[in-house]
Every structure is written in structure tokens, then in C-alpha cells.
Amino acid sequence: MEWALLLQLVLNGLIVGALYGVVAMSFVLIYKASQVVNFAQGEFMLIGAWVCWWLLTKWQLPFWIGFPVCLAFMTIFGVIVQVVVLRPLIGEPVISVIMATVGLSIFFQALMKWMFGVFAQPFPPIFPAERLSLFGLQIQSVYLLSLALSAVIMLGFWWFFTFSKHGLAMRATAFDQQVAQSLGVSVPKVFAMSWAISAVVSAVAGVVVGVVSGVSSGLSFYGIKVFPAVILGGLDSIVGGMLGGLIVGVLENLAQYVDAQWLNWGNMTNIAPFYALVLILLIKPYGLFGTKNIERV
Amino acid sequence: MSLRFGGVRALTDVSFEVRRGEVFSIIGPNGAGKTSMVNCISGRYRPTEGRISFDGQDITRLPPSRRAPLGIGRTFQNLALFGHMTVLDNIMVGRHHLLKSGFLRGMVYWLGGAQTEEIAHRREVEDIIDFLEIQHIRKEPAGTLSYGLRKRVELARAIALKPRLILLDEPMAGMNLEEKEDMARFILELNQEWGMTVLMIEHDMGVVMDISSRVMVLDFGKKIADGTPDEVLAHPQVRRAYLGEDLDESVEAAA
Amino acid sequence: QAPYPIGHIADYSGATSDVGVPYGRGVQDALAWVNANRRIGGRTMNVMTMDYGYQAQRAIAQYQAWMSRERPVAIQGWGTADTEALTTFVTRDRVPYISGSYSAALTDPTGRAPRAEKAAPFNFFYGPSYSDSLRAMLIWAQQDWRARGQTGRPRYVHMGANHPYPNSPKAAGEALATELGFDVIPAIQFALTPGDYTAQCLTLKNQGANYAYLGNTAGSNISVLRACQTVGVQVQFLGNVWGMDENAMKAAGAAANGVVFPVRTSAVWGQDAPGMANIRAISRISDQAGTAYRPVHYLAGVCAAMLMVEAMETAAERGQVNGVSIRDGFYTRQNWVPNGFDGVCAPSNFTAEDHRGTLSVALYRAVVNGDTTQGSVDDLMRAGTMRLEPVTTINLDRRRDWLGW
Amino acid sequence: MLQVNNIEVVYNDVILVLRGLSLEVPKGRIVALLGANGAGKSTTLKAISGLLKTEEGEVTRGEIRFAGDRIDGIDPHLIVRRGIFQVMEGRRIISDMTSIENLRLGAFTRSDGEVKRDIEMVFEYFPRLKERTGLAGYLSGGEQQMLAIGRALMARPKLILMDEPSMGLSPLLVKEVFSIIRRLNRDLGITILLVEQNARMALSVADYGYVMEQGKVVLDGTASALMDNEDVKEFYLGGHGTERKSFRDIKSYKRRKRWL
Amino acid sequence: MSMTPSGDFRTSYAADMTIFPTRNSRLALLIGLAVLLCAPLVLGRYELSLMIQIGFLGIAALGLNILVGFTGQISIGHAAFFGFGAFASAWLVEHGVPVPLAIPLAGVATALVGLVFGLPAARLKGLYLAIATLAAQFILEDFFARARWFTGGVAGRITEPFTLLGLRFDHDETYFYVVVFWVVVMFVAAANLMRSRDGRALVAVRDHYLSAELMGINLAYYRTLSFGIASFYAGVGGALYAHYLLFVSVEAFNILFSIQFLAMVIIGGLGSVMGSLMGAAFMVLMPELVQSAAQALEGGAIDRALSLGASINFLREMAIGAAIILFLIFEPDGLARRWRLMKAYWKLYPYSH
Ligand SMILES: Nc1ncnc2c1ncn2[C@@H]1O[C@H](COP(=O)(O)OP(=O)(O)OP(=O)(O)O)[C@@H](O)[C@H]1O
Ligand SMILES: Nc1ncnc2c1ncn2[C@@H]1O[C@H](COP(=O)(O)OP(=O)(O)OP(=O)(O)O)[C@@H](O)[C@H]1O
Ligand SMILES: [Mg+2]
Ligand SMILES: [Mg+2]
């Protein structure tokens, strides 16, 4: 056992896990409003990253201006996607909507390549010190930004869903669109809101990933990678999404350790979260924090 | 028998017995635990304490799907039809435990005897359809029917199980007088001609008084009375908790 | 006279499009240039380009379509998975297939080499195979180790996804590394997509590797390079032929500094060579202004296309142009450099027993000394912020026991 | 206040359910809508509240006016904002929320600060709800019905459309619900369109009544006039005069009266 | 000439329960089948190869439809089972099993694997189950890449063409018949299943599992069973794929492919047997159509005017994505419903409306 290495791996897992958590939360948000799992979440990250990159390099905007502008763009983008694609599907079976998000993912994947090219691009440095040392582990400083943002986002969501009436409306819409409408909730508006927020949150994650390892279309793979995190935590739990992210992050790193030390299978980092996912679901069918469906006849 | 959900005591020490061939009604205020009781009998809930036996066999821990073959069928308070299936298929599902051919024989339909079996059962199902007068909606998807018709299809599905004990959870809710009369007629006929024992939950006192042989009253999960309809009606606690002070008016109102 | 049908399977939009685009454009431009400037036996080519998005299925469907309608006389292909899948078919249909996959499994036309798994009589590619490139880099690494005055056994590790393409040279590399006296550390895996590979880098650091082969394409290699730079790994990375280029250098920035990787052509864009004039002319086909920077893969694509064109010309001189005669056209020349591309395309030798076109591997070092985030590749190369620095050229022996793996 | 003129409703582009139905609900009154199962009562209410759309239904002819403005074709949430609130058939409470959250949702369209007080008011009407702090999905049928009505009150609507509010309630509660309906009407001045199977109760609180059959109004009149109508008596109220006919005595064959 | 009866004229229950309700529709079916069998005589290899792909993908899609459409359990791992069937068949052939036998055996082997991965289905619901199948996808993919003895590792495995009684079915013209045979068998079996006991039970579980259970339906059994059946179909489809391409590689069976299966099922129509085939046809033909449109455009006036150039490839991808979305918006119930409406229209013709 090499404790220093192990410690570094766990630390790294937590840091990366927080990022997964951010993406997971944006999944949860859409799920909570419409019971839809968004397969285009990865593309949302990608779009956010590209747009921000474009603002910073082509327009030479400083990060502290470019980043908010990018988020504002993503808000509008989320609304547009909702209006054009998802609004006509209101009332259709959830699975159709999920499929439509797959269509979105294919569409945007190609669109991004068309607009920004197929080559990976580096982000201009946004912090004076690109790296800093944490308990002996060198990490990119932008990860700290993501840590801070994820905490803020999580608290924001938590407040939103428990206390604000729009949060309640969102949950009601997810439960039964017809009832929500009968209560005066505008289902399209609720969806627009959830998609906009989700787009913004995933853009934050996209930018962080972009800063760390460059922007390229492969970035959207995070969208799939994060599924174990979402499910581990429970599809409809904001806190669960965050925690699931952390767990998956640590798990990946520990799996890499175990793999490198003993197994030498090679692929454990990628697969371990899925094994864990199946195991946890067998014990807790609604994830760690998901609410059980009410079964009453 | 007792049933608890966390802190909620849905049923507390309730004991009763349904005799073969009778129409037994459970009444009680909302939330008294009537549906929970039926859920325990049909296996949806497992009692926290106590024992349920059917025909001398202890069925307390039997999984729900094993109770249909024993002869327990039921309808639901909040409709639970298979919305996308036709009425006919809904009722055929009721025959599930009586049919024998599994998926392999089903796939080779003509060869393994599945066809003959289907036709034989279809004939009996048609009898049920005729009996409940729902011929005209045979091929409609159950999900598009109006509330009253759905209740009737539910009943048909329960009958298709060929149950010896049929549990009806508010069969008359949402019906007008004429339809209640029909339903009452069906229930009596089931009981008398088809020989099924009926356990019914109903709020319509008129119906309960007229067609049940015995009545049990629950309140806050406890049994407060049982006996013949008239005995129960006379019970002071029942009048207070359930009917409201003025008896005659409430019977009238319920009708 | 009807033009010769030529199939072209390219990845312009899929997972490997970052290198698929320059390579494919090179092929396409070269063939268009040939059509415009010189004929093959008096005829032109009808080039049918198909972007299959790196999905083997689509490539195979397209292949079937072509074989039933246009019946191409030769095909320019791309990825390892689809090329290996099509091997059986092109063998059956006798269509020369020039791939962008340099898997050594495609180099044995007879299937009789000691370690070969199957015969691939109609498969060709331009440049050294993945395995041979890695062998060359290992030989260089050994020299480098000595040159730096290090003692003890250097440690070598193979890194990449578990995927036909990164795996292709794994066995060959580890075998030679052992033979050369390296300590071979268990391979480290990382996916073909960008991600957080800090864990892998920490492992790498922990195990004290000195030389690491990066088997993936640029997108994920960049993540590894940056992660390893962040955690401060001291290791000499050996890039593979598709894993490092000018675009990757720009994206990885300083993290790419020092990576050694093979370059298939004798010159890179911007250098002078007799053949460069033609390359520029070809480049103008898709870039009228003549300002675009062409990465190494573009030049390789041109060379691969020109090999095919000349093989077709040989076939035309001898009479019929068909799959078999084109294949035989590949065997007629020694130290074959396409006419007019001297100093750019490296000499190739193909024989009916051995499709290893070249065993001479030119190694370059990526040099990055500044901020690469602003400006285009062209600007950066011109300003010298990024450079490709020749390291050495390793000439491998044409060992028969190295054929086909 | 509400006028429904000659509307036709079609489901799935093919199933014609309402065929030229007209009715009127004057301000401040209670109007009862009676009819057999499948007559189209719920459909009528959904046509008014705009909820048809979510079931692939459509008003293809005629018009619906509320306070003089046409409201057919408007999105349901806008109709709620105009002051029409429907209590849907089958309770339809949000089962994964608590009662209080359900009630708060009822007040979604309101932005005044009196939501808390109104919740207390609902709890006064239905004390049982206050005791049940768990998720609404675990409430008994009757408790859910109370919650659904309470939720409507939270919206402070001008017009409540009630679809079978007494369904599944104990006799005691039925009386209570109807007395609440009366009180709502009297104290708060809320206009009510009431669909009910319990004709006797409905007519006893209503000012005016309509009887529907197969998508059309076949009979209408003041509540007292309907109570005296022979057909209504026989088919909706049961028996003539005071003597109630026993359910046991119904013969297998019955005369079926249809107005159409 | 009508395909559906215009009134209820049936006199026996057997007649009421048949799949093809009129004589004309049976006739049409026979003629259709005959025409289909003549196809290799008139069509080119390209068209045949598309039809073959539609065939084996359609079989697998039908399996997924039984799972998703009929039993209501979403699976995002179908391609992995498809792949398992392909590898299993190739492996069996390598071990001396003749190809015609290896195909159904591969189906059975896949069904067994499906049952194992279907076990969580007894406990999991909705999207939780969907994501668990996503796990199956990745775990199986990892297994394929690792198990050299079985799959040939990441390099893939070459396999033999279909041979029966000394005849080689190694061209599109001949292999076509093999696929048609399997399509007919598998589709008829599914249609039969859906109108018999266990098929109804599956649908009941989807529509209302609580009441289904009280009807005597063992939920765990049927949920798992539907995974088994779905995997069987996937396995047979995969085996047919293997002996068509003659090369099986782990690369093909990725998550994207799984999602394509899902798209087939949804586009074809959830819970429709024939819809699965239509969905497969849509997913196979659409990229081809877009591709040929792109080729027609390439170098043409529009291309030059907009200087599309290389971007045509991206436009094509975008067109595919957009087509899926547009399809879902305008035909959310799938091709099967459109087909039914068309039939209904002809039934009334010329008196429609
Ligand atoms: N699954 C459950 N979890 C928690 N509490 C439950 C559950 N099922 C029922 N209850 C509670 O048990 C009590 C009895 O409910 P039940 O449905 O049996 O009443 P009921 O007598 O049928 O009433 P009604 O006539 O209104 O239908 C209720 O207070 C209800 O909230
Ligand atoms: N979504 C739908 N799609 C197709 N038909 C429908 C739909 N909803 C209702 N119908 C049909 O419309 C008719 C009227 O239904 P509605 O629910 O309005 O009746 P109702 O008068 O409320 O009956 P009940 O007293 O049973 O509730 C019924 O025949 C029903 O089958
Ligand atoms: Mg109840
Ligand atoms: Mg109704």
C-alpha cells in the first residue's frame, strides 16, 4: 500500500467527482421537471465550452466577462431548444422525449464540429496560477472554481425545490402534466425553465473540462459517463446527484489504483462505476437518495 | 390483524370472518383502513401482525400472484385497468392462471395447443361480457372508456379469475342510480347464481343495507361493530362516526 | 472513355475526425489534382468519397453498395476496425484497399509469416506500420537513455484504450522492449475520449516509467499529456502516428513539448523539398487562397493517393486496369517515390510476400515554447511557437519474424 | 358568467363525444350537470377548463365564453388565471408531495401573501388532512378527495368545476362536502358547476340543473323542477315519493328510458 | 379489395382472433412474400444488402420492442446482446457447430445472458432499470474486449458464411433467403406470443403491474422472461449479422448502436410487431437517403453557391438527428400508427370523410 498515492487518488477523485456532480445535478433538474433523461447533456456541455472558448479567443474577452456572457447565451439556448423541440412533444410518452434528446445529441454533435472544426482547442489560461498544490497533489486551479460553483449550485437547487413555488410546480409537472396544467402551471414554461437552468449548469461543467483538457467533441462523452453518478444518488435527488458524482469520482480513482497495483486489467477505471451501480441498485432500487414511487391501489 | 406504516396505524387488532356464500360489507369513514384490509387479503400489503386464512389455509405470507389461483379476485378503488389493452384482452388477463400454455407454446400458436385453449377461454369470457352487458366495447382500449364502464370492465376482469371470494372496493362509486341498480344486480347474481362469496367496501348505505348479509364497521383502523345491516345501523358509535347524527337523512342522501 | 471508379472511405465527422479530416482531404485533393493534370491511361477517376463517421457498419454497407453498382477498381480506406472487417471482402472481390490504418496485421499478403493471423493480399498503406513505428521509437529510446548517460534499466509502459488501434502494436512493442533490456510495466489504459486521466498519470509517476507509448488519437492523448503535466510526471512520451500532430500540439500546449513521434513524410509543411511544389498545387484544390496550413496527415494522404495512382498507371500501361493488375502495380518499383513528390513521400517497397512499404521511420520531436491558445496553427508554426524538430531516422531490418504483427 | 354554446368535442380526430352541447352557468349560482356514465360530463368540464388538449381531444365547433370572452382554444393554465378551476375526476393529487405542498400548489397562480392563512382555512374545513403529514399518495381515497377540493379553494377561483366531488366519500363526509359547496357559494360567492352522480344531493344544493345523454343536453330546468320531473325521479333519484326501492328487488330485466 | 374487414362478420372466435383478418389480406401477404422471394432476381446487391440489414436489425429491434414496447422496460444495452449473439455464433462455428444450427443456439446463449442481466429487472423500475442496462452495455463491452477466447479480443473474430446441404449462402442474393426465413419465423412467433397468455401478461405488467400481480401474474418471472426473449431475438439478429459480415468486432456494439435500436423501436411504434421492422427500415434507409442526397448535392449548384464543401458531411449528420426529432414531433406514435391510419383510409375509400 502506498498511502501517499492513495490519498492523492482519493483527493483527485473528490475533485473530479464534484464536477461529475455538477453534470449529474443538471440531469436531475430536467428529470425532476419532466421525468426525461437528457441524452444531449454532454452536448450541452460541449456547446457551453465552445461558446465560451469562442468568446475568449476570437473576441478576446476576459474570462470574467466572457463566462457570464456564455452562461447568458446558454439560458437562451436552453429555452430555444425547449420551444423548438420539446414543446411540441409535451404530452407524448417520456420515452419519445428521451429519444428526441438523442436526436438532439446527434444534431448538435455534428453542428459543433461543423462550426468549430474537428480539432481540439486549448482554453486561454484564466487564472494567473494554472496549478496549485493541495495536500501534495498538484491540481488545476480551475477545479477549485468548479468545487465552489458546485456547492453554490447544489444549495441553490435545494432551496428551489423545497421552498420556491416554481420548484413545486416543476415537481408537479413531472408527476402529472395534466394535473399541473389544471393548477394553472404553464407546463411549457416550467420545461423552458428547467432546460435553461440545466443548460447553464452543464455549460459550467463544460467550461471547466475545457480549461482542464481542451475543448473537443469528445468532451460530450461526460454526458454518458455521469449516468452512474445520477443513478447512484437517485434520479430525483439533487443532493444525491452531487454525492453520486463524488462517489463515482473516488471510485474511478480507486479502481485505477487497484487495477495498477494488482489486477492489471486496464479498464477498471471506466467499468468499476458500472459494477458499483448495479450492486447499489440491487440493494437500493431507487439509488441512495431517490424517492420510491408510490404504489397504492 | 394489525397493519402499520411507519407511525400510521392503518389497522389495529381487527378480526373478522367471511362465511362462504355471503355478501359481506365493510363500511367506515374515509381513511378507516378498509382498503388496507382488502389489500392485506389480496396480498398487496403484508400485515404487521396477525394472520389471514382462506379456506383453512394460512395465506398471510403468500405472494399476491399466488392468491389468484386460490380463488381470490378483486377490483380497485382507484381504477387499475390495463389502459392500452382492449377490454377483451383485459378480461383475458384475468384468465391468466387458468391458461396453461407458456410463451413457447404461445409462439407456435397453432401447434402447441395454445389456439384451442385460447378459444375455449374466449368462449367463457364472452359469457362474462354478455352478463355485464359490455359487448359493444369489447374491442375498445380500456383507457378511453368512461369511468363507469371501466368499473364494469374491472368487475369483468375479476370475475374472469373464477374467484371463490371476490373483493370489491367501492364498486358503486361514481355511478348514478340506474347504474347502481345494475351493479347491485350483478353483485347479487354473482353471489347467488355464480356462487361467489363477496366482500365489498361501499359508502352507499342504501346498497349496503339492501344487499349485504353482514356488515363490519371500521373506524381509525379499529373494528367498532359488526353484524347484520340492521344491527350495525342501530349501533350508536356507527351513527356518530360514520353516518352523521341523523340516520334517515343520511340513508336518503346516500341513495 | 468512362472514368475509373475509386472508392474513398473517410472519417470527416466521427470519433477520429481530428486526423481523418486532414488525411482524407489529402487523398481527395490529390486525386482531384491528378484528374485535372494528368490522366491514367487517358482516363480520369471518378472518386466516390463517403464519410462513414468511424462506424464500421456504414463502411461495410457502402462497400456493398459500391460493389453492386460502380465496382471501384481500388479503394482508399480509413480505420483499423473497418479495414480489418473488410479484409475478407476485398480479398474475395480482389480490390486493392489502401487504408489509413497501419495495423501490422495488414502487412502479410500470404498469411504465412510466423506470427501473422490472416492473409491480407489486397491491403496496402503508405508508411511504417504501427508496430514498426513503435519498434523504431524503442530503439531510439534506448539510444536516448544511453545518450543521457542514464544507468540501469529504463522502464517502458504502453498506454492506450483497449481497442484494435492502440492495441495493434502493443505486443510488438513490449516484446522488443524486453529484448532491448527495458523493464516493461503493465500497460495503463485510458479511454479514447477526453476525460480526467490524473489517476493514470499518478500511477505512471508512481511506477517511475521513463518511456511511455501513447496509443490513442489526439483527442484523448491531449488529456493525458495535460494531466501528466499537472501532476508533474517526468516521462518521455512516445506518440503514435495519429496521436500527435500540429493540431494536437496546439491543443495540448506546453504539455506536448518534447513528445517524440513518427512522421511518415520526408518533409513537413513549410519545409523545402523538390516535391513540395506539387503538394502546394494539390493543397490549392481545396484552398484557393493557398494560405491553409497542412498538417502531416495531409501530406501522408497525398502520398497514399499517389501510390495508388501510379500503381494504376502501371496497370494501364500493361493493358487492363482492374483490382489484380493494380495490386501488381504496387510490386513493380523499388524504393518507390511517386513521380514529382521527391523529398516529400518516403520511398516504399512492396512485394508479393511483404506489404511493409517502408521500414525507415523518421522521428520528430514536438517543440512548444509559448502560449498556443491564441492564433491559428499556421501562425504558431510560422512564429516558431510550435516546431517539429527532426530527431533521427531509424532504419529497421526487414525481419521476417516481425512481419504481420 | 359561463356560456357553452353548441360545442362539439372530438377525441383523437375521430371519436365524437359531445354533439352540440349548450349550457349556461350564471354568476354566483350552483349549476348541476347530471348524466349516465359515458354521457360526456367530464368531457364537458375538460372542454371548459382546456384540459382536453392533453388527452388529444378538441373542441371542433361552437364556443365557450367566460365573463364574455371566448376561452375555447386557450391554454389551460391561462384559463386557471382567469378564474376557472377544475377539480378533476379521480382526485389526481400529487402523490409524491405532502398535503401542504399540494395545497401550496393550488395557490400557484396567486401571488398574495395569504397562502398560509388559506391553508389554515382548508384545514378547518378538513381537519383530517392536518393530521396526515406524510406523502399525499398514502392518503386514503376520501382523504385525497378532501385534498383535491382543498386545493381548489387555494386558488380562490371565480368558478369551480367539480367532477364528482362526493365520489368515494362516507355519507358523513358527503354531507359535509355539500355543505361546504353551499358555503363556498354563499360565503365566498364562488360560482360552481357541479357534475354529480348523487343527483339528490346535487339538486338539493343547485339552483339549476342539466341532464345529459350521449353528448347532448336532454333536459334542463331549475333544481326544483327537475326534482319533480318523473323521469329524473325514476332514474336519478330513485323511487317515487318517499318510498325507496330496495336494491334487492330489482329484476333482471328493467325498463330503460332513454331520451334519445 | 380491402385489407381490413369493414364490418364485424366473423362467426367464430378463431376467426376473430387471427392475425390476418380477411382473405384479401392473407392473399396480399402471400403475394408479398412471393414478391419478396423474387427480389434477388431483380434487385442489385446494394438494395439486397440494405434489405438484409433491415432484416437482422429488425429481428433484434423486435426483441427490444417486446421488452420496451410490450413490457415497458427500457433497455439501453441491446447492442451488447446483439453483439453477444454475433460472437456466440462465431464462436460456436469455430467449435464445429454448423452455421444453421449456430444461429438459434447463439440466440439461446444470448437469452441466458439476458436472463442474468434481466434479474435486476425484477426489482428495478423505469429509468433506474434503463441505466442498469446501460451498465450491462459497458460491462459486456468490456468483457468482449477482454475475452480473447470468445471474441478474439479487440481484434475481432472472422467467421464462416452460412452453408446448408453443401450450398454456400455467402452472397447477398443467397443470404437474403436465410434472413427472410428468420424474419418470417421470428415475426410470426412474436405476433403469436402477443395474442396468447404470456404475451398478454407482459403487456399487463407494463400497463399496471400492481393489478397484474393480483391477477396471478408473477412479476419477477415475466420481467425477467421478457429480458430473456428480447435477448433471444437480439442474439439471433446478431448471429445473422455475424454470418453476413463474416467479421465480428467489439467496436460495432457500442452504446450508439444500442440507442439506434431504441430509435428503431420508437420510430417504428412502441408495442407494434410490424413497427419494429418499419423502424429498422427507417434507421437503415434514412442515412442512405441522406447520403445520396448529399452526393447529389456535392459539386452541384447548391454546393457551390453555399460553398458547402466538406460541411456536407456534418449537414448529413445533422439531417439524421433532425429527422429523428421531426419524426417524433410529427409522428410520435410511430410508423405503425401511420400504417394503420393508411389502412383505415383505404378501408373507407372512396368514402373517407
Ligand atoms: N402504503 C401506505 N403507506 C402509508 N400509509 C398508508 C398506506 N396505505 C394506507 N395508508 C394509510 O392508512 C389509512 C387507511 O387507508 P385506507 O386506504 O385503508 O382507507 P379507506 O378506509 O379505504 O378509506 P376510503 O374510504 O377513503 O378509501 C390512511 O390514513 C392512509 O393514509
Ligand atoms: N381520452 C379519450 N379518448 C377517447 N375517448 C374518450 C376519451 N375520454 C373519454 N372518451 C369517451 O368519451 C365519452 C364520454 O366520456 P366522459 O368521461 O366525459 O363521460 P362521463 O359522463 O364523465 O362519464 P362518467 O360518469 O363515467 O365519468 C366516453 O364514451 C368515453 O369513452
Ligand atoms: Mg379505500
Ligand atoms: Mg366522468
Side-chain angles (χ1 to χ4, degrees), chain B residues 8 23 28-32 45 77-78 133 144 146-149 152 170 173-182 184-185 188-189 192 203-207 209-213 219-220 240-246 249-255, chain D residues 12 15 35-39 89-91 128 131-132 138 140-144 146 164 167-175 196-198 200-201 233-239 241-242 244-258:
Chain B
V8 179
V23 177
N30 296 110
Y45 294 158
Q77 180 174 10
N78 297 324
E133 295 161 16
T144 61
S146 75
Y147 191 86
L149 283 174
R152 219 178 268 195
E170 304 198 9
M175 298 201 168
N176 66 23
L177 183 73
E178 186 185 352
E179 292 151 349
K180 278 181 186 168
E181 287 173 355
D182 282 341
R185 183 161 55 84
L188 285 174
E189 204 157 317
Q192 286 156 11
H203 283 303
D204 185 319
M205 286 310 290
V207 177
M209 294 296 119
D210 291 348
I211 67 174
S212 34
S213 0
D219 189 20
F220 286 109
R240 203 167 341 105
Y242 183 56
L243 301 172
E245 244 61 52
D246 182 1
E249 194 196 295
S250 69
V251 173
E252 291 296 287
Chain D
N12 291 322
I15 309 164
N37 287 137
E89 194 175 15
R91 293 139 199 168
R128 239 201 121 89
E131 298 159 19
R132 294 272 175 270
Y138 294 123
S140 81
E143 291 163 340
Q144 293 185 356
M146 300 178 209
E164 312 207 12
M167 182 158 67
L169 297 191
S170 70
L172 184 67
L173 272 175
V174 172
K175 280 197 294 187
E196 246 311 329
Q197 296 290 6
N198 191 336
R200 185 179 299 271
M201 271 300 209
K233 267 190 194 160
E234 176 164 4
F235 295 106
Y236 288 91
L237 303 177
T242 49
R244 203 174 55 84
K245 190 168 67 187
S246 167
F247 283 97
R248 213 168 249 288
D249 303 336
I250 299 152
K251 286 169 216 71
S252 298
Y253 172 78
K254 286 184 30 212
R255 185 173 75 96
R256 277 174 188 279
K257 163 94 181 187
R258 287 285 176 255

Side-chain angles (χ1 to χ4, degrees), chain E residues 69-98:
Chain E
F70 291 112
T71 326
Q73 301 177 310
I74 304 171
S75 163
I76 328 185
H78 206 58
F81 295 107
F82 185 83
F84 192 91
F87 282 122
S89 194
W91 184 83
L92 284 167
V93 170
E94 180 124 336
H95 288 74
V97 180

